Amino acid sequence: TLRMRVPALLILLICFRGRAGPSPHFLQQPEDLVVLLGEEARLPCALGAYWGLVQWTKSGLALGGQRDLPGWSRYWISGNAAKGQHDLHIRPVELEDEASYECQATQAGLRSRPAQLHVLVPPEAPQVLGGPSVSLVAGIPVNLTCRSRGDARPTPELLWFRDGVRLDGITIHQTVLKEGTPESVESTLTLTPSSHDDGATLVCRARSQALPTGRDTAITLSLQYPPEVTLSAAPHTVQVGEKVTFLCHATAQPPVTGYRWAKGGSPVLGARGPRLEVVADASFLTEPVSCEVSNAVGSANRTTALDVLFGPILQAKPEPVSVDVGEDASFICAWRGNPLPRVTWTRRGGAQVLGSGPTLRLPSVGPEDAGDYVCRAEPGLSGLGGGAAEARLTVNAPPVVTALHSAPAFLRGPARLQCLVFASPAPDAVVWSWDEGFLEAGSRGRFLVETFPAPEGHEGQGPGLISVLHISGTQESDFSRSFNCSARNRLGEGGARASLGRRDLLPTVRIVAGVAAATTTLLMVITGVALCCWRHGKASASFLEQKNLMRIPGSSDGSSSRGPEEEETGSGEDRGPIVNTDHSDLVLEEEGALQTKDPTNGYYKVRGVSVSLSLGEAPGGGLFLPPTSPLGPPGTPTFYDFNPHLGIVPPCRLYRAQAGYLTTPHPRAFTSYIKPTSFGPPDLAPGTPHFPYAAFPTPSHPRLQTHV
């Protein structure tokens, strides 16, 4: 019944109003509204030309027509009803208030459009796992996780900041968790911290529409990192011998546990702390100093090299070079120094600079380029160091053969010819050739070849050889023919011609014969004088006390001696003069009895004068007879050239004729005989380079003396 009446009344009202004036209408309708949780929500509604009942519905449920809306303690309607204002208020808004609201004019049958009320829940401050201080290790990647808390609406966005600056370019992964859990979302930050991040502050911010400024949670990074090392040297540029101090500064978390010093990779013994003192030398330029610092996390190493100033030091000597004629030659000589030394090349004995730098190149060398080359480095700024090194250039070429001077020979006597050979490479053979034959080594008939190494060679010409051709029993043809000395190696052949000189025997024979005749005559005179003096001595007793003896000792010191009896009894008498010459000493001696000695013992004691004539001593004190000569029949002595050795002593002062002494001059002559027991060293011609022939055996020359 009531339900049937209400529609009828409404129809009548509409009809009445249509006849009476304007119809009811909405002046203002509610709109969608977003409101924060806990705040007040106001949904406006205004009607015109309507004075009837106005009510609000919530999701289709009528809240009632009274202004205070009984049963809804947080809800009420406000505004001037006479003016048609019917605003709905909700305070404080709760999540359950989120719904669709309508304003209805029930008597006029009007309904506003639905207005959606959205309730926003601001996010709570997020949570960073491990905070508020997170311990990390430098260099090791780590994930930092931030989670939102509370039932925030809408779902918040999580952002990362460092020192107020948003972190861009860093991996951030955000995950929406299962609905209904306290944490609705989480964000993961992946980073690789460094030592510079120690003490840094990171902020995780949760923001949404409900709270655009967001809410922050800050954490502090506590980094553990290996040492960060800086190495310095004072002074950095030094002279050799100066002191240098190295300082090793390190920052580390946890603290440093140890220092280790090294030079050129080798540990420096005894160095443990952050300070090292050394005396600089050249090795510090190429062997840097390093400092390694350690802690519980790890270690770090730093290296520095000193700028050490030092003079040139030879690193690599130039090596000898051997090349063929026409080829290029090069030498390498390495010096080191700081600053880099200037290296120049010269030839030994010359001042011309042939090149500079560590390498000397000689294009297309010839025999004239052979020799010693010197690389020289100037001293450094300190005046120390520097020096020179040399190497020999040997130019391989055909042998160079030079005929050496040979002494003239006697007919039917021994002879020898010599040649000097320089060759690089060494000669394959040295051959002597003449008209009817040739000989390389050994003997052949009257010929014998010997080869000796030359004691020293010409610069760059390679080793030297001396080849000697010995001829025994020379013939006439040997003095008219030419002898050829030739040598060959892989590059060619060279040779030289030598001829044999002849020596005449006649002058020597005459001289020796004259000397022999004079000696014989002198021996006879002396023997007669001695016998005469001996007889006269028996008749005179006083003379017996003063008999004298002249002796010629082996050394000519110009002194005279007396016997002990002579000093006691004959000091006051005139015994005659004692004659001293350049070749002998005449000594007066006293004897107990006169007697003649064997002539072979070198002394004759006579009444008058005893003379010693030096003709050469033979073994045993006897006279030396020369060997048989090839010029005559057997038994004929062989004589060599005695011209350099013969000398006739000028007559000495006459002896006074006293007490039976003869007044006669004292002659003296020397003779020498040389017989080669072995072939001696070669004789070099004038102008030929000298060689120390002391290495070769030299035959002895015995001196023959005969004392009368």
Side-chain angles (χ1 to χ4, degrees):
T1 59
L2 181 59
R3 292 179 180 178
M4 295 178 62
R5 289 179 181 177
V6 170
L9 289 175
L10 290 174
I11 293 172
L12 290 175
L13 181 59
I14 292 172
C15 292
F16 177 76
R17 290 180 62 89
R19 289 193 300 268
S23 60
H25 57 280
F26 281 102
L27 298 176
Q28 184 178 7
Q29 297 187 51
E31 296 180 354
D32 293 343
L33 179 63
V34 176
V35 65
L36 292 177
L37 180 68
E39 295 185 357
E40 180 180 345
R42 174 178 172 273
L43 298 173
C45 179
L47 295 169
Y50 179 73
W51 294 270
L53 179 64
V54 175
Q55 67 172 3
W56 285 86
T57 62
K58 174 183 177 183
S59 300
L61 177 62
L63 299 178
Q66 297 180 11
R67 306 291 288 184
D68 55 357
L69 297 178
W72 302 89
S73 59
R74 297 179 294 106
Y75 291 63
W76 73 92
I77 298 174
S78 66
N80 189 347
K83 295 181 178 180
Q85 295 178 350
H86 307 277
D87 299 337
L88 177 62
H89 294 264
I90 304 172
R91 189 180 61 186
V93 175
E94 297 181 358
L95 291 178
E96 61 184 27
D97 297 331
E98 190 173 77
S100 176
Y101 292 88
E102 292 183 0
C103 178
Q104 299 177 352
T106 58
Q107 295 176 349
L110 296 176
R111 300 176 61 182
S112 67
R113 60 176 176 270
Q116 186 68 34
L117 177 61
H118 298 280
V119 178
L120 301 181
V121 179
E124 298 180 6
Q127 177 188 12
V128 179
L129 301 183
S133 179
V134 179
S135 180
L136 306 177
V137 176
I140 299 178
V142 65
N143 293 329
L144 298 179
T145 300
C146 177
R147 291 178 179 175
S148 65
R149 295 185 299 175
D151 188 13
R153 293 188 181 186
T155 301
E157 178 186 17
L158 300 179
L159 303 176
W160 289 93
F161 295 85
R162 176 176 176 172
D163 300 330
V165 179
R166 183 175 176 177
L167 296 178
D168 294 326
I170 297 180
T171 302
I172 299 177
H173 178 70
Q174 185 163 306
T175 303
V176 177
L177 301 179
K178 183 179 179 181
E179 293 292 341
T181 60
E183 298 84 14
S184 58
V185 68
E186 71 176 18
S187 176
T188 302
L189 171 65
T190 301
L191 77 159
T192 302
S194 66
S195 60
H196 302 290
D197 296 325
D198 186 37
T201 298
L202 295 183
V203 173
C204 179
R205 177 175 297 169
R207 73 177 184 180
S208 67
Q209 184 181 359
L211 188 60
T213 58
R215 289 184 176 173
D216 299 340
T217 298
I219 61 170
T220 301
L221 300 182
S222 176
L223 265 293
Q224 291 186 347
Y225 53 91
E228 291 187 348
V229 182
T230 57
L231 181 60
S232 61
H236 186 265
T237 301
V238 294
Q239 295 276 356
V240 170
E242 293 183 356
K243 288 186 177 181
V244 181
T245 300
F246 292 91
L247 292 177
C248 187
H249 178 71
T251 57
Q253 183 62 35
V256 172
T257 57
Y259 293 84
R260 180 178 178 270
W261 292 89
K263 174 179 174 286
S266 300
V268 179
L269 301 179
R272 292 290 182 269
R275 182 185 181 96
L276 176 66
E277 291 186 355
V278 298
V279 176
D281 57 35
S283 64
F284 283 90
L285 187 65
T286 55
E287 298 179 6
V289 174
S290 62
C291 174
E292 183 180 45
V293 186
S294 305
N295 69 351
V297 177
S299 62
N301 188 298
R302 289 294 178 271
T303 301
T304 186
L306 290 179
D307 185 18
V308 182
L309 304 178
F310 60 94
I313 299 175
L314 181 63
Q315 283 187 307
K317 295 178 59 178
E319 297 293 334
V321 177
S322 177
V323 296
D324 293 346
V325 172
E327 295 182 348
D328 296 342
S330 62
F331 295 95
I332 297 178
C333 180
W335 295 82
R336 71 185 185 99
N338 188 28
L340 194 64
R342 179 176 180 267
V343 180
T344 57
W345 291 87
T346 58
R347 192 166 179 174
R348 188 172 70 173
Q352 181 182 2
V353 176
L354 304 177
S356 60
T359 302
L360 173 65
R361 300 186 185 279
L362 301 174
S364 187
V365 299
E368 67 279 1
D369 296 316
D372 295 323
Y373 290 83
V374 180
C375 72
R376 181 173 286 100
E378 300 299 330
L381 298 177
S382 62
L384 301 177
E390 65 180 43
R392 173 162 294 185
L393 172 62
T394 301
V395 180
N396 299 325
V400 177
V401 182
T402 305
L404 301 180
H405 172 71
S406 298
F410 298 112
L411 181 64
R412 296 184 181 87
R416 65 179 177 181
L417 299 173
Q418 309 164 101
C419 68
L420 176 64
V421 180
F422 286 111
S424 178
D428 302 325
V430 179
V431 180
W432 285 91
S433 60
W434 54 94
D435 295 340
E436 69 273 11
F438 66 91
L439 186 59
E440 177 179 343
S443 62
R444 178 182 177 184
R446 297 182 298 113
F447 301 95
L448 170 68
V449 171
E450 290 183 311
T451 302
F452 305 94
E456 60 182 35
H458 288 181
E459 291 185 357
Q461 287 188 321
L465 296 175
I466 296 177
S467 182
V468 182
L469 174 64
H470 298 280
I471 306 173
S472 62
T474 58
Q475 300 176 359
E476 288 287 350
S477 60
D478 294 334
F479 299 100
S480 59
R481 66 163 54 114
S482 293
F483 294 87
N484 187 46
C485 177
S486 61
R488 66 177 179 272
N489 60 12
R490 62 178 178 83
L491 296 176
E493 184 174 353
R497 209 172 264 186
S499 59
L500 184 61
R502 184 168 180 171
R503 175 179 291 179
D504 189 5
L505 290 174
L506 185 57
T508 303
V509 172
R510 290 177 177 176
I511 294 173
V512 173
V515 172
T519 302
T520 303
T521 302
L522 182 61
L523 288 175
M524 294 176 63
V525 172
I526 293 175
T527 303
V529 171
L531 291 175
C532 182
C533 292
W534 177 70
R535 290 173 182 174
H536 182 71
K538 283 185 175 183
S540 177
S542 62
F543 182 75
L544 291 176
E545 297 175 356
Q546 302 176 16
K547 65 183 187 325
N548 301 302
L549 177 64
M550 178 189 296
R551 180 176 60 86
I552 304 177
S555 60
S556 300
D557 55 2
S559 62
S560 62
S561 60
R562 298 186 180 186
E565 297 178 2
E566 181 182 3
E567 292 182 359
E568 294 177 3
T569 64
S571 60
E573 295 187 25
D574 183 4
R575 297 174 179 82
I578 297 177
V579 180
N580 295 328
T581 70
D582 293 336
H583 305 281
S584 64
D585 300 324
L586 300 180
V587 182
L588 299 180
E589 296 181 350
E590 181 175 342
E591 288 186 340
L594 290 175
Q595 60 180 352
T596 58
K597 296 286 186 175
D598 187 351
T600 60
N601 66 3
Y603 295 92
Y604 283 95
K605 296 183 179 180
V606 295
R607 169 121 172 90
V609 179
S610 177
V611 180
S612 174
L613 177 62
S614 175
L615 296 175
E617 267 183 8
L623 295 177
F624 182 91
L625 295 179
T628 304
S629 169
L631 299 177
T636 304
T638 300
F639 295 99
Y640 287 84
D641 186 6
F642 299 112
N643 290 332
H645 308 286
L646 289 177
I648 302 299
V649 180
C652 60
R653 292 179 297 172
L654 296 178
Y655 296 103
R656 290 181 293 173
Q658 175 185 350
Y661 280 82
L662 296 179
T663 304
T664 178
H666 175 66
R668 183 173 182 178
F670 292 90
T671 61
S672 296
Y673 170 72
I674 303 173
K675 178 182 179 181
T677 58
S678 64
F679 295 110
D683 299 325
L684 302 182
T688 305
H690 296 286
F691 299 92
Y693 290 116
F696 298 103
T698 303
S700 61
H701 299 275
R703 183 179 179 182
L704 176 63
Q705 290 186 342
T706 301
H707 301 275
V708 179

